[in-house]
Amino acid sequence: MNKLLEFEQPLIKAAPKLDHNQMPLFQTLVQYARRDVIPFDVPGHKMGAQMNPLRMVLGDMTMRMDVNSMKELDLLSHPQSVIKEAQELAADAFGADHAYFLVNGTTIGIIAMILAAVKPGETLLVPRNCHKSVMNGIILSGAKPIFIQPEVDLHFGIAHGVSVKNVRKALNENTETKAILVTYPTYFGAMNELVEICELAHERGVTVLVDSAHGAHLAFMPDDYIDPLTAGADAVTVSMHKTGGSLTQSSLLLLKGNRIAPERMQKIVNMLQTTSANYLLMSSLDVARREMVLFGKKRYRELKPIVMDAVLSIEANSNYEVLKEAYVEKYFQQSYDWTKLVIRVNGIGFTGFDVYTILKEEYGIQMELAEGYVIMAVISSFDTKESIDKLVFALKDIEKKYGKHATIISTHVTTSEVNKLVLVPRDAFYAEQESIPIDQAVGRISADTLMIYPPGIPLVIPGELISNEVLNQYHYYCQTIGSVLTEAKEANHIKVVKE
């Protein structure tokens, strides 16, 4: 390897089919950026030709690596050389037949999977606690969604994955189903029995799509975790930027088997993605893949006891409770991803939103999210004992300074039912609409999406009936986090289908 491109070498090399020391796209991009090039192509900053605040902060090399597609750097929409090689390495790393680089985030991958698997009017089984991008994919595809109620955890105030029992019931009641989309792991780390779900679906000729936005690391864990492709999924989208170490907005779409033709998937991805793909994002996927293959298992093996010790320390002599695998297995028959550190904080008399804010403002600690009862930290292979110890100290200090002897309980923390779907989402999206005060919307058909972000799970989507429970949840989140994302311009209004 070029002396300028030497990086940390693994203590124990992985043994995949291909040589994962190589980073064909990243290495070629670096070499091009170091050449004496006079650019008369886009982007207009001309490889950072003029000193400005962006170049001062990002540095010369970053600006020189932000370039346009050309022969030696390949073309994402029609890969022939270094991008093709990088995608083949990514596919090999995950055990896929094909991999597609995504520069518009996992959102595009999820929409592409749906468009590739179902046609207008065809049935798609979906967990109701899926991400907004799934809802958008349903609208764009014109598919008929059948929502499956996930396992609701009233103690932690969150939802876990859909059960095999509920999937089997949905498949039996909807024999025309073309595809099922499963979230694995969930945002909070639950992993249902995906192997059995894939077997049930495939017995009926149903394609299995997996939103694994928060599971890019699963294929590189030292434990006996089953990643989605190993479980039998046909198409999987992973957010490499979330837990795999690539730059924000870079993801992978993985394909295995013959239920979806790779040419069709490439065509759909090209329809959705920009034709000006960002090379910094794409090359970061190349680097992250190498790091995960060569060092992932070692780093996670060393990190796990640190996290387990932190769990014990957080719970010791406190009213905190950490979500653990034994708990999820016992009550919901699902496994659990320990890299999602979900901490129940309502036992100290605060909501998750309160503790989230205190950690940020008083301790400089940025958590991934807050819910009514919990906060969550995402652990990646880049975390250290020092960073985790700081979180443990802050939590103990918060309880010592501010803890109350009263547990907060609310009926609005998590929903216990699936909203009634009256119209196919695409029909509601295109229907004549009007904006009305949300307090007057009970019994009306939503043409809008009400969403809390993160995690990006809608309270209501186009085509669903607005119930009292939706209204109560809306007000609960407005009071606790300040706002709920909506498409209506006026405050506390919602767009509904005009009667």
Side-chain angles (χ1 to χ4, degrees):
M1 187 179 294
N2 188 310
K3 187 71 175 176
L4 293 170
L5 296 175
E6 284 185 355
F7 298 92
E8 175 188 2
Q9 295 300 308
L11 296 177
I12 302 175
K13 290 192 67 173
K17 296 177 183 177
L18 303 179
D19 179 8
H20 284 274
N21 271 299
Q22 299 303 309
M23 299 171 287
L25 178 56
F26 177 75
Q27 290 168 274
T28 303
L29 180 61
V30 170
Q31 289 163 1
Y32 178 81
R34 288 188 169 132
R35 286 168 51 186
D36 187 15
V37 174
I38 301 174
F40 283 100
D41 60 346
V42 296
H45 61 69
K46 304 295 177 130
M47 302 179 80
Q50 293 182 5
M51 182 59 71
N52 62 17
L54 198 62
R55 178 178 159 187
M56 290 171 66
V57 172
L58 297 182
D60 292 348
M61 198 59 185
T62 302
M63 302 301 293
R64 294 188 65 81
M65 290 173 68
D66 182 35
V67 296
N68 193 26
S69 297
M70 60 192 71
K71 184 177 180 180
E72 58 261 62
L73 293 179
D74 211 351
L75 180 64
L76 182 59
S77 60
H78 188 64
Q80 296 292 306
S81 57
V82 289
I83 294 177
K84 181 175 182 288
E85 293 170 21
Q87 290 187 152
E88 288 172 348
L89 282 162
D92 183 60
F94 283 88
D97 294 329
H98 304 277
Y100 306 85
F101 281 5
L102 305 176
V103 294
N104 294 65
T106 295
T107 289
I108 291 301
I110 288 171
I111 294 173
M113 290 194 302
I114 293 172
L115 291 176
V118 290
K119 299 175 183 177
E122 292 184 338
T123 299
L124 173 68
L125 301 184
V126 189
R128 185 53 186 82
N129 61 330
C130 61
H131 189 263
K132 182 184 178 183
S133 59
V134 176
M135 306 302 185
N136 290 339
I138 290 169
I139 291 171
L140 290 172
S141 68
K144 174 188 174 185
I146 299 295
F147 291 113
I148 306 173
Q149 177 67 22
E151 297 298 290
V152 176
D153 187 338
L154 296 177
H155 183 62
F156 276 83
I158 59 178
H160 299 302
V162 293
S163 67
V164 172
K165 177 183 176 182
N166 285 349
V167 169
R168 182 184 289 108
K169 181 174 184 289
L171 287 168
N172 289 340
E173 292 176 352
N174 301 276
T175 55
E176 77 288 357
T177 297
K178 293 295 182 182
I180 178 173
L181 188 143
V182 181
T183 307
Y184 181 98
T186 65
Y187 205 163
F188 297 102
M191 297 184 291
N192 57 17
E193 294 173 296
L194 187 57
V195 172
E196 191 171 347
I197 290 172
C198 289
E199 290 173 350
L200 285 172
H202 290 159
E203 286 170 3
R204 295 162 170 80
V206 174
T207 301
V208 180
L209 315 175
V210 176
D211 170 6
S212 192
H214 294 270
H217 58 291
L218 291 179
F220 311 103
M221 297 282 279
D223 305 287
D224 295 328
Y225 288 123
I226 300 176
D227 65 272
L229 287 176
T230 301
D234 301 298
V236 180
T237 308
V238 296
S239 293
M240 282 295 279
H241 67 93
K242 284 185 168 68
T243 58
S246 65
L247 294 177
T248 296
Q249 205 171 305
S250 59
S251 297
L252 291 172
L253 173 53
L254 307 166
L255 205 59
K256 191 169 185 177
N258 57 11
R259 288 185 177 86
I260 298 176
E263 298 81 10
R264 175 173 171 77
M265 186 64 82
Q266 181 71 70
K267 182 177 181 179
I268 292 171
V269 169
N270 289 350
M271 290 169 59
L272 299 171
Q273 287 214 109
T274 176
T275 54
S276 300
N278 186 287
Y279 276 87
L280 291 167
L281 298 183
M282 288 189 289
S283 65
S284 77
L285 286 168
D286 211 13
V287 174
R289 177 268 314 156
R290 175 187 183 272
E291 292 288 298
M292 291 298 277
V293 171
L294 300 185
F295 310 113
K297 288 187 178 181
K298 173 181 178 293
R299 290 173 180 170
Y300 280 112
R301 188 179 294 111
E302 293 172 349
L303 191 59
K304 186 173 183 179
I306 296 172
V307 174
M308 296 301 104
D309 286 346
V311 170
L312 294 175
S313 297
I314 291 169
E315 291 188 335
N317 301 313
S318 80
N319 288 308
Y320 293 121
E321 182 179 357
V322 180
L323 188 63
K324 294 182 284 293
E325 186 165 26
Y327 170 89
V328 179
E329 286 180 345
K330 178 179 179 180
Y331 294 104
F332 303 100
Q333 294 75 56
Q334 299 183 16
S335 56
Y336 182 68
D337 174 12
W338 58 265
T339 69
K340 309 298 187 293
L341 193 57
V342 180
I343 305 158
R344 186 176 183 266
V345 300
N346 61 316
I348 70 167
F350 287 102
T351 68
F353 306 109
D354 296 329
V355 176
Y356 175 98
T357 301
I358 295 171
L359 283 168
K360 179 69 176 292
E361 294 182 352
E362 297 189 23
Y363 298 88
I365 293 175
Q366 178 64 61
M367 300 296 282
E368 170 65 14
L369 63 71
E371 280 286 352
Y373 294 169
V374 303
I375 55 174
M376 184 175 78
V378 172
I379 305 297
S380 83
S381 63
F382 293 85
D383 276 298
T384 64
K385 184 178 188 305
E386 289 71 24
S387 64
I388 294 171
D389 283 348
K390 287 178 180 178
L391 173 60
V392 173
F393 170 81
L395 288 169
K396 305 294 280 189
D397 202 45
I398 288 171
E399 183 173 20
K400 181 180 178 181
K401 288 180 178 177
Y402 308 115
K404 306 171 186 177
H405 299 288
T407 300
I408 292 177
I409 300 293
S410 172
T411 58
H412 306 308
V413 165
T414 185
T415 182
S416 58
E417 63 182 40
V418 174
N419 300 330
K420 183 178 181 180
L421 188 70
V422 181
L423 288 178
V424 172
R426 187 166 72 169
D427 292 345
F429 180 82
Y430 285 111
E432 192 173 353
Q433 305 169 6
E434 61 180 335
S435 180
I436 65 173
I438 194 166
D439 288 326
Q440 299 173 18
V442 174
R444 298 292 296 273
I445 301 171
S446 177
D448 198 351
T449 299
L450 297 182
M451 184 183 70
I452 47 174
Y453 188 88
I457 296 171
L459 302 179
V460 70
I461 66 167
E464 288 184 339
L465 201 66
I466 301 169
S467 64
N468 279 310
E469 185 171 9
V470 169
L471 186 64
N472 290 335
Q473 279 195 296
Y474 170 83
H475 286 302
Y476 170 76
Y477 282 109
C478 283
Q479 291 166 7
T480 52
I481 66 175
S483 66
V484 177
L485 301 184
T486 176
E487 294 158 12
K489 292 182 179 179
E490 301 171 273
N492 298 312
H493 277 59
I494 187 172
K495 290 182 180 179
V496 296
V497 173
K498 200 168 186 178
E499 294 179 339

